[in-house]
Amino acid sequence: QVQLVESGGGLVQAGGSLRLSCGASGRTFSNYAVGWFRQAPGKEREFVAAINWNGASTYYEDSVKGRFTISRDNAKKMVALQMNSLKPEDTAVYYCAADRWQPPSSWSPYKNLEHWGQGTLVTVSL
Protein backbone atom coordinates (compact mmCIF):
# COMPACT_ATOMS: atom_id res chain seq x y z
CA GLN A 1 0.00 0.00 0.00
CA VAL A 2 1.24 3.49 -0.86
CA GLN A 3 -0.01 6.79 0.48
CA LEU A 4 0.82 9.97 -1.39
CA VAL A 5 1.02 13.52 -0.05
CA GLU A 6 1.56 16.52 -2.32
CA SER A 7 3.12 19.82 -1.30
CA GLY A 8 4.54 22.94 -2.88
CA GLY A 9 1.48 24.51 -4.46
CA GLY A 10 0.76 28.20 -4.17
CA LEU A 11 0.24 31.47 -5.96
CA VAL A 12 2.78 32.58 -8.57
CA GLN A 13 2.88 35.18 -11.31
CA ALA A 14 2.94 34.19 -14.95
CA GLY A 15 6.47 33.34 -16.01
CA GLY A 16 7.40 32.19 -12.54
CA SER A 17 8.30 28.77 -11.18
CA LEU A 18 7.05 26.32 -8.59
CA ARG A 19 8.30 22.93 -7.46
CA LEU A 20 5.74 20.37 -6.41
CA SER A 21 6.69 17.41 -4.28
CA CYS A 22 4.95 14.09 -3.79
CA GLY A 23 6.02 12.17 -0.71
CA ALA A 24 5.14 8.51 -0.39
CA SER A 25 4.82 6.06 2.43
CA GLY A 26 5.15 2.31 2.01
CA ARG A 27 8.05 -0.04 1.48
CA THR A 28 7.46 -0.75 -2.20
CA PHE A 29 7.49 2.78 -3.61
CA SER A 30 10.22 1.89 -6.09
CA ASN A 31 7.85 -0.62 -7.71
CA TYR A 32 5.51 2.15 -8.82
CA ALA A 33 5.40 4.46 -11.77
CA VAL A 34 4.39 7.91 -10.51
CA GLY A 35 2.79 10.81 -12.26
CA TRP A 36 1.08 14.16 -11.96
CA PHE A 37 -2.40 15.04 -13.12
CA ARG A 38 -4.26 18.32 -12.84
CA GLN A 39 -7.83 19.47 -12.72
CA ALA A 40 -8.84 23.03 -13.50
CA PRO A 41 -12.20 24.44 -12.39
CA GLY A 42 -14.99 23.07 -14.55
CA LYS A 43 -12.68 20.71 -16.43
CA GLU A 44 -11.83 17.05 -16.27
CA ARG A 45 -8.69 15.76 -14.63
CA GLU A 46 -5.87 15.43 -17.14
CA PHE A 47 -2.43 13.94 -17.40
CA VAL A 48 0.58 16.23 -16.93
CA ALA A 49 3.71 14.10 -16.53
CA ALA A 50 4.87 10.67 -15.42
CA ILE A 51 8.05 8.80 -14.60
CA ASN A 52 8.70 5.09 -14.61
CA TRP A 53 9.83 3.10 -11.58
CA ASN A 54 13.57 3.81 -11.88
CA GLY A 55 13.42 7.25 -13.45
CA ALA A 56 14.77 6.10 -16.79
CA SER A 57 11.67 7.13 -18.75
CA THR A 58 9.58 10.26 -18.52
CA TYR A 59 6.40 11.34 -20.26
CA TYR A 60 4.81 14.76 -20.65
CA GLU A 61 1.62 16.25 -21.91
CA ASP A 62 2.38 18.38 -24.97
CA SER A 63 1.50 21.74 -23.40
CA VAL A 64 4.08 21.32 -20.61
CA LYS A 65 6.97 19.88 -22.60
CA GLY A 66 10.05 22.02 -22.20
CA ARG A 67 8.59 23.82 -19.17
CA PHE A 68 7.97 21.03 -16.63
CA THR A 69 10.40 18.38 -15.44
CA ILE A 70 9.49 15.30 -13.42
CA SER A 71 12.07 13.48 -11.31
CA ARG A 72 12.17 10.93 -8.52
CA ASP A 73 14.34 9.86 -5.63
CA ASN A 74 13.40 6.34 -4.56
CA ALA A 75 15.64 6.44 -1.51
CA LYS A 76 13.67 9.46 -0.24
CA LYS A 77 10.37 8.12 -1.62
CA MET A 78 9.82 11.41 -3.37
CA VAL A 79 8.72 12.58 -6.80
CA ALA A 80 9.08 16.20 -7.83
CA LEU A 81 7.56 18.30 -10.58
CA GLN A 82 9.59 21.38 -11.44
CA MET A 83 7.34 23.86 -13.21
CA ASN A 84 8.93 26.78 -15.04
CA SER A 85 7.53 29.51 -17.29
CA LEU A 86 4.13 29.06 -15.71
CA LYS A 87 1.06 30.30 -17.53
CA PRO A 88 -2.40 31.21 -16.23
CA GLU A 89 -3.75 28.11 -18.00
CA ASP A 90 -1.59 25.97 -15.70
CA THR A 91 -3.87 26.98 -12.82
CA ALA A 92 -5.35 23.80 -11.36
CA VAL A 93 -5.30 21.37 -8.49
CA TYR A 94 -2.33 19.07 -9.09
CA TYR A 95 -2.57 15.44 -8.03
CA CYS A 96 0.15 12.88 -7.58
CA ALA A 97 -0.72 9.32 -8.60
CA ALA A 98 1.03 5.97 -8.58
CA ASP A 99 0.46 2.61 -10.22
CA ARG A 100 2.37 -0.66 -10.40
CA TRP A 101 0.67 -2.20 -13.40
CA GLN A 102 -0.38 0.35 -15.99
CA PRO A 103 2.54 1.66 -18.04
CA PRO A 104 2.93 5.44 -17.75
CA SER A 105 3.01 5.70 -21.54
CA SER A 106 -0.73 4.93 -21.41
CA TRP A 107 -1.74 7.49 -18.78
CA SER A 108 -2.62 10.31 -21.18
CA PRO A 109 -5.17 11.84 -21.32
CA TYR A 110 -6.40 10.20 -18.11
CA LYS A 111 -6.12 6.84 -16.37
CA ASN A 112 -7.76 5.59 -13.21
CA LEU A 113 -4.67 4.63 -11.21
CA GLU A 114 -4.14 2.69 -8.00
CA HIS A 115 -3.22 5.48 -5.61
CA TRP A 116 -3.90 9.21 -5.51
CA GLY A 117 -2.94 12.07 -3.28
CA GLN A 118 -5.31 14.76 -2.08
CA GLY A 119 -3.98 17.44 -4.40
CA THR A 120 -2.27 20.79 -4.10
CA LEU A 121 -3.55 24.02 -5.63
CA VAL A 122 -1.44 25.95 -8.12
CA THR A 123 -2.65 29.41 -9.08
CA VAL A 124 -0.88 31.39 -11.80
CA SER A 125 -1.82 35.05 -12.03
CA LEU A 126 -1.28 37.49 -14.87
Side-chain angles (χ1 to χ4, degrees):
Q1 188 75 358
V2 170
Q3 292 185 321
L4 304 172
V5 178
E6 304 95 335
S7 61
L11 174 64
V12 64
Q13 286 190 323
S17 298
L18 279 177
R19 184 176 179 87
L20 304 184
S21 295
C22 175
S25 63
R27 292 179 294 176
T28 60
F29 175 72
S30 60
N31 291 346
Y32 288 77
V34 181
W36 291 90
F37 291 74
R38 65 186 178 187
Q39 188 165 17
K43 295 188 176 181
E44 295 185 345
R45 194 170 299 188
E46 65 176 6
F47 171 78
V48 175
I51 190 166
N52 77 327
W53 69 276
N54 65 356
S57 298
T58 57
Y59 308 85
Y60 297 94
E61 192 264 332
D62 285 346
S63 69
V64 308
K65 285 180 180 177
R67 300 189 298 123
F68 292 10
T69 302
I70 189 170
S71 60
R72 71 185 295 161
D73 184 334
N74 284 341
K76 296 181 178 179
K77 298 182 181 179
M78 187 75 67
V79 171
L81 185 69
Q82 178 66 42
M83 306 187 296
N84 299 328
S85 302
L86 282 161
K87 304 175 181 179
E89 52 263 44
D90 294 318
T91 295
V93 177
Y94 283 70
Y95 297 90
C96 180
D99 198 286
R100 288 170 292 179
W101 311 114
Q102 302 186 78
S105 58
S106 71
W107 291 5
S108 179
Y110 177 79
K111 189 73 74 172
N112 190 18
L113 303 177
E114 284 188 281
H115 304 289
W116 292 85
Q118 292 301 306
T120 186
L121 177 63
V122 172
T123 304
V124 184
S125 64
L126 289 170

